[in-house]
Amino acid sequence: MRLEATELDTATQPLPADQIGRFSLHEAILNRLRDMIITGELQPGNKINEAQVCARLGVSRTPLREALKYLASEGLVELVPRRGAVVKKFTSKETRDMLEVIKSLEQLAAERACEVASDAGIANIRHMHDEMVAAYEHGDRLTYYKLNQSIHLAIVALADNAALSDVHAILQTRLKRIRFVGHEGPVKWAAAVGEHVEMMEALEMRDAKRLKEVIGRHLTEAWLRVRDVASV
């Protein structure tokens, strides 16, 4: 599973030619580490064994440590003195508190989005939604999850409020692992998909009241789906 410098799945700003390879490798390591945290390959509360991860990804310790510092800034990793990098583990209360704030932010964004969103912006979310449903039908949980989270971010972006988007993105990033856990099992997964179908219908109708209600219910149910494993 050696990483290549071209293994990049997020857009980047143009850089001088002599920096592109290094920057792309950094992004590739970040993306792979995030996936390992999201899926539980790197478990919350556990120390990240740098030697093992370097061997797994085929990279040296310097770019790995740069990536770990960045993940620490995102709240996914903690850098503990004399212990090294540890995957962040949130308590049940911390998880619930963050989900409650995310719910309020997304409901606020939903109301505004129904008023000001462009037809093209809504169409873009419809495209992501259809891809997400296709991933669900194929049983591809990681692809489904990434599209799911992109949809939540995109709905908030439609509100055209940079401060709102910034705060929401920070919390959304910290909850990456726990939101993935919320889709475990066919019953939980099917319920989450059904709620997204309702969200999409309300958004396309620009029905702010209904969209706020569905998002509120969706995120309340998100807590119920993860509360038994919220600290693992």
Side-chain angles (χ1 to χ4, degrees):
M1 190 178 285
R2 180 174 297 274
L3 292 177
E4 300 294 338
T6 55
E7 201 175 331
L8 176 63
D9 63 12
T10 56
T12 61
Q13 294 297 317
L15 291 173
D18 61 346
Q19 296 182 32
I20 290 177
R22 184 171 181 273
F23 187 84
S24 298
L25 179 61
H26 175 70
E27 286 292 308
I29 296 171
L30 280 175
N31 291 332
R32 191 62 61 81
L33 286 173
R34 285 197 195 97
D35 286 352
M36 292 169 76
I37 291 170
I38 289 167
T39 60
E41 187 173 348
L42 295 175
Q43 284 285 323
N46 286 1
K47 180 181 182 297
I48 296 174
N49 187 308
E50 291 186 5
Q52 289 181 359
V53 174
C54 285
R56 171 76 184 277
L57 302 185
V59 299
S60 66
R61 292 205 179 199
T62 297
L64 176 67
R65 287 174 176 172
E66 289 177 356
L68 290 173
K69 288 178 182 178
Y70 193 89
L71 291 176
S73 74
E74 292 185 335
L76 290 176
V77 166
E78 290 182 293
L79 301 179
V80 182
R82 296 184 297 279
R83 192 180 178 197
V86 177
V87 179
K88 176 67 178 179
K89 183 176 183 178
F90 295 105
T91 66
S92 293
K93 183 179 185 306
E94 287 171 331
T95 300
R96 185 170 189 175
D97 288 348
M98 285 187 284
L99 282 171
E100 286 181 350
V101 174
I102 286 177
K103 179 170 72 173
S104 296
L105 294 173
E106 291 196 12
Q107 286 183 309
L108 175 61
E111 185 171 29
R112 179 67 174 162
C114 287
E115 297 175 1
V116 305
S118 67
D119 290 342
I122 293 176
N124 179 57
I125 293 178
R126 161 56 74 178
H127 177 70
M128 287 191 287
H129 172 83
D130 290 344
E131 287 191 333
M132 182 193 74
V133 172
Y136 166 68
E137 292 172 346
H138 286 90
D140 185 346
R141 280 190 67 209
L142 188 57
T143 297
Y144 167 89
Y145 165 82
K146 290 182 177 181
L147 287 164
N148 177 296
Q149 297 300 283
S150 293
I151 288 169
H152 282 274
L153 290 168
I155 290 175
V156 173
L158 289 182
D160 193 26
N161 184 320
L164 176 60
S165 291
D166 288 346
V167 175
H168 177 265
I170 289 170
L171 295 177
Q172 193 86 331
T173 297
R174 291 177 183 173
L175 287 175
K176 281 183 179 295
R177 165 62 183 163
I178 202 67
R179 296 297 295 275
F180 184 78
V181 172
H183 302 137
E184 286 184 344
V187 175
K188 290 181 179 180
W189 198 359
V193 172
E195 289 154 14
H196 263 265
V197 169
E198 290 186 70
M199 287 165 53
M200 193 67 244
E201 291 173 350
L203 178 61
E204 289 181 323
M205 294 175 63
R206 296 181 183 267
D207 186 338
K209 182 177 180 180
R210 183 184 176 201
L211 184 56
K212 286 177 65 178
E213 185 278 324
V214 176
I215 286 176
R217 175 160 40 92
H218 178 62
L219 286 161
T220 297
E221 290 297 322
W223 163 247
L224 297 178
R225 285 190 281 265
V226 304
R227 63 182 175 181
D228 292 337
V229 291
S231 62
V232 300

